[in-house]
Amino acid sequence: QTTTNNRMFCDREEEGRGVGLYCPSSQTIAKGDVILDQIPFASVVDKEFRAQTCQGCFSNSGETILRCVECKTMRYCSVKCQKKDWKLHHKLECKSLQKAVPHVPQTSLLLLARILRRFWKEKDKEEKKKSKANDVHTFLLELCSHSDSYSLEEHEKHVIQLAVLKEFLGEEEFEALSSYALPFLLKMRVNSFSICNSDGNAVGAALYDRLFKVNHSCDPNCCVTFSGSRAILRSVNTISAGKELTISYIDVYKPLQLRRDELQQQYHFSCNCNRCSMELESGGCEAMSFKCQFKGDCSSLVPYELESTENESSLARKSLFCERHPNSSTTEDGGESLGALKKSILMIVKNRKAKGHATMETIGRQSFYDGIKRVLPVGHYLHLEYLNSCMDYAINNQHFQQALEVGKRSLQSMQTFNTTKWNPTYAVQVVRVAKLAALLEGQQGFLKYAEEAVSITKTTHGENSLLYAQLQSI
């Protein structure tokens, strides 16, 4: 059992779901309650954020921070954080990083190395004391790995990863840890978390010794947010006694088939939550449909799944007309042809984050967005991804009026999905829109979004969070 905030939460195993975390039969959890608040067993900052993020606590002050003088790789906000990380992890990895520079392994392998080394150190302490009093590492043995679920191609990739790990650790240390290396790699793949900052960006990865027991739902009753490297599990609605606690492992703003594909590929299970069952019975949804392009008055949606593996020739053969108008063809005057729009939509799929300036300058045109609106309903997942990409681009280039307009549309799009708005993704977006409204429209514009932003953020992130503090400062 896990004790936190004077509550007891029960571990229980149910057929088809494995071990989960459940509310006890004698208690009810209120909306917004903190259920777990944990520091990681091991964590690593991503390379992209390493220059401004403390490896110890994951704080980001925006100021120059201390760098390890030996490896010149890890950085810290204070001597205190540096000493703490040195004791737990960095003392064991510093020489390895010195030898590896400039070819430092990717984040996942650095995390694996930290997990293996700390496990071995704690195990050695236990054996010397001949006591199990210090069992901080034993949870690793409980983690599921789904080792029988990987294809031959995936296992070949694992072999390559272990070869890189061996070079990083050194042959002697790798041999000592070799019996744990592959099992822990597979365990880490399905049990680690991406640590997100207040903007919702993943800045690193970590493994937690309790949080892994919380199972998935596409319509969860809890969410995980982060304060530095600390993971905080909160309820997003009232949870009655005896109910299972759930979070979403993936983006809840994806349609059924894409959610199922991602869960199967990454976590090796099929979700049968209430939301999935409802969408499966309905036989389709707006998130996977195009608007019928008949020039007359037609409000029909055409069920359609657009995959990133499609090429332009296969895309061109797809029909965007409903059963009532199967042989129609049209090109809107003054707009882009349907063929060009299809190719542009495919470009969005292939370049989800659309970081390139040329790409965003192309799809940021008003005429392009007019075409998107003509083809994609507001609740289509690609419509939402397009809006989010445009908003990021506009903010990064200080086009704040465009960012506000696109942000408002993205909130409308998110509200059409079959999921609660009480989730971290929606919270971050509504705060971004509120901040832009305060900048451009003053108090009146801010107040349109402030009440919703404060209410949702208090639930998902808490009153002590940086995101909530940003609202209070306005």
Side-chain angles (χ1 to χ4, degrees):
Q1 293 185 319
T2 301
T3 306
T4 181
N5 295 338
N6 299 318
R7 285 198 176 95
M8 300 295 290
F9 294 93
C10 308
D11 301 342
R12 196 165 78 219
E13 185 168 4
E14 290 200 358
E15 187 176 353
R17 289 189 65 80
V19 175
L21 207 59
Y22 291 78
C23 184
S25 56
S26 58
Q27 293 185 22
T28 297
I29 303 173
K31 185 177 184 177
D33 276 3
V34 174
I35 300 170
L36 283 175
D37 185 343
Q38 290 205 292
I39 59 173
F41 177 80
S43 59
V44 174
V45 176
D46 274 338
K47 179 181 179 180
E48 182 182 352
F49 296 91
R50 210 171 282 154
Q52 67 271 18
T53 306
C54 175
Q55 176 56 60
C57 67
F58 275 60
S59 64
N60 181 355
S61 63
E63 301 174 358
T64 303
I65 55 178
L66 304 171
R67 183 173 69 171
C68 175
V69 296
E70 298 295 337
C71 69
K72 298 178 173 57
T73 301
M74 299 306 186
R75 296 174 183 260
Y76 303 91
C77 66
S78 65
V79 173
K80 181 180 178 181
C81 268
Q82 188 171 13
K83 286 182 176 179
K84 185 176 180 181
D85 192 55
W86 176 265
K87 184 178 180 180
L88 274 178
H89 298 291
H90 195 55
K91 182 179 180 180
L92 299 172
E93 75 182 355
C94 190
K95 288 184 179 179
S96 299
L97 286 169
Q98 291 176 51
K99 291 188 294 183
V101 172
H103 305 294
V104 176
Q106 61 189 19
T107 302
S108 59
L109 288 181
L110 289 179
L111 179 60
L112 177 60
R114 285 189 160 213
I115 292 169
L116 284 166
R117 282 169 158 164
R118 187 176 179 192
F119 171 81
W120 193 255
K121 182 175 71 172
E122 300 290 351
K123 182 174 179 292
D124 186 54
K125 283 182 185 177
E126 181 184 285
E127 290 174 351
K128 286 179 179 178
K129 291 181 179 180
K130 297 183 179 179
S131 166
K132 291 190 177 181
N134 183 18
D135 61 351
V136 67
H137 64 292
T138 55
F139 81 97
L140 290 162
L141 305 176
E142 301 176 36
L143 298 175
C144 64
S145 65
H146 298 287
S147 57
D148 297 332
S149 302
Y150 293 97
S151 66
L152 179 60
E153 183 181 356
E154 286 175 311
H155 276 303
E156 289 174 350
K157 292 179 181 179
H158 297 155
V159 171
I160 295 172
Q161 289 176 308
L162 292 180
V164 175
L165 180 68
K166 182 178 181 179
E167 184 175 350
F168 179 69
L169 296 178
E171 189 167 343
E172 183 178 345
E173 186 177 10
F174 181 82
E175 288 303 319
L177 297 169
S178 59
S179 61
Y180 297 102
L182 179 59
F184 281 16
L185 170 63
L186 302 184
K187 289 170 185 281
M188 185 188 70
R189 276 194 57 171
V190 296
N191 292 285
S192 61
F193 284 77
S194 293
I195 296 179
C196 297
N197 62 15
S198 60
D199 294 325
N201 297 317
V203 297
L207 187 66
Y208 298 88
D209 68 345
R210 298 288 189 189
L211 209 52
F212 74 91
K213 293 182 179 179
V214 184
N215 283 322
H216 166 84
S217 171
C218 296
D219 190 20
N221 55 24
C222 299
C223 72
V224 177
T225 54
F226 299 89
S227 177
S229 62
R230 283 172 38 230
I232 303 170
L233 178 71
R234 286 185 174 87
S235 55
V236 296
N237 52 42
T238 301
I239 305 174
S240 57
K243 290 290 185 180
E244 184 179 16
L245 311 179
T246 57
I247 58 176
S248 179
Y249 295 174
I250 57 172
D251 181 2
V252 295
Y253 294 105
K254 287 184 177 179
L256 173 65
Q257 191 55 52
L258 294 189
R259 296 198 311 270
R260 286 194 156 186
D261 289 347
E262 186 174 343
L263 288 168
Q264 188 62 54
Q265 182 177 2
Q266 177 67 27
Y267 300 100
H268 306 284
F269 70 86
S270 294
C271 182
N272 295 302
C273 68
N274 290 337
R275 179 186 174 190
C276 287
S277 299
M278 180 187 70
E279 291 180 5
L280 189 63
E281 288 177 7
S282 67
C285 62
E286 187 175 323
M288 291 294 283
S289 301
F290 284 176
K291 294 179 180 178
C292 176
Q293 295 301 297
F294 181 64
K295 290 185 70 173
D297 184 17
C298 182
S299 58
S300 299
L301 294 177
V302 183
Y304 178 62
E305 183 174 339
L306 186 65
E307 294 289 354
S308 59
T309 54
E310 288 184 305
N311 55 39
E312 292 184 6
S313 60
S314 66
L315 190 63
R317 292 194 296 270
K318 300 285 187 179
S319 173
L320 292 183
F321 299 93
C322 69
E323 294 178 354
R324 289 189 296 157
H325 312 108
N327 299 316
S328 301
S329 62
T330 182
T331 300
E332 293 287 339
D333 294 337
E336 299 192 39
S337 69
L338 290 179
L341 277 172
K342 287 179 181 179
K343 292 179 182 179
S344 299
I345 293 167
L346 181 63
M347 178 176 66
I348 298 174
V349 181
K350 288 184 175 180
N351 303 280
R352 291 291 170 90
K353 295 185 179 179
K355 290 184 177 179
H357 289 292
T359 302
M360 282 311 304
E361 285 172 2
T362 299
I363 69 175
R365 299 195 316 267
Q366 182 61 42
S367 61
F368 183 86
Y369 182 59
D370 290 342
I372 288 288
K373 288 190 294 184
R374 183 159 56 89
V375 177
L376 301 179
V378 68
H380 197 289
Y381 79 102
L382 289 180
H383 193 145
L384 178 58
E385 290 195 7
Y386 165 78
L387 292 172
N388 289 338
S389 296
C390 282
M391 187 178 184
D392 290 341
Y393 174 77
I395 290 174
N396 290 338
N397 289 276
Q398 299 185 7
H399 301 156
F400 297 127
Q401 187 63 51
Q402 181 188 6
L404 176 59
E405 293 171 1
V406 173
K408 290 177 180 179
R409 295 182 197 133
S410 74
L411 291 179
Q412 294 171 356
S413 179
M414 294 169 90
Q415 290 165 4
T416 66
F417 286 76
N418 296 323
T419 188
T420 176
K421 65 182 179 180
W422 302 93
N423 67 74
T425 303
Y426 189 86
V428 168
Q429 190 71 338
V430 74
V431 169
R432 292 209 300 171
V433 172
K435 288 162 66 178
L436 287 167
L439 175 68
L440 299 172
E441 300 175 354
Q443 184 181 27
Q444 185 176 1
F446 173 67
L447 291 177
K448 291 179 182 178
Y449 301 96
E451 184 177 355
E452 181 181 40
V454 168
S455 177
I456 293 175
T457 306
K458 281 176 67 174
T459 299
T460 58
H461 291 73
E463 295 184 32
N464 295 324
S465 67
L466 180 59
L467 196 65
Y468 188 80
Q470 291 172 0
L471 285 171
Q472 294 302 306
S473 67
I474 301 173

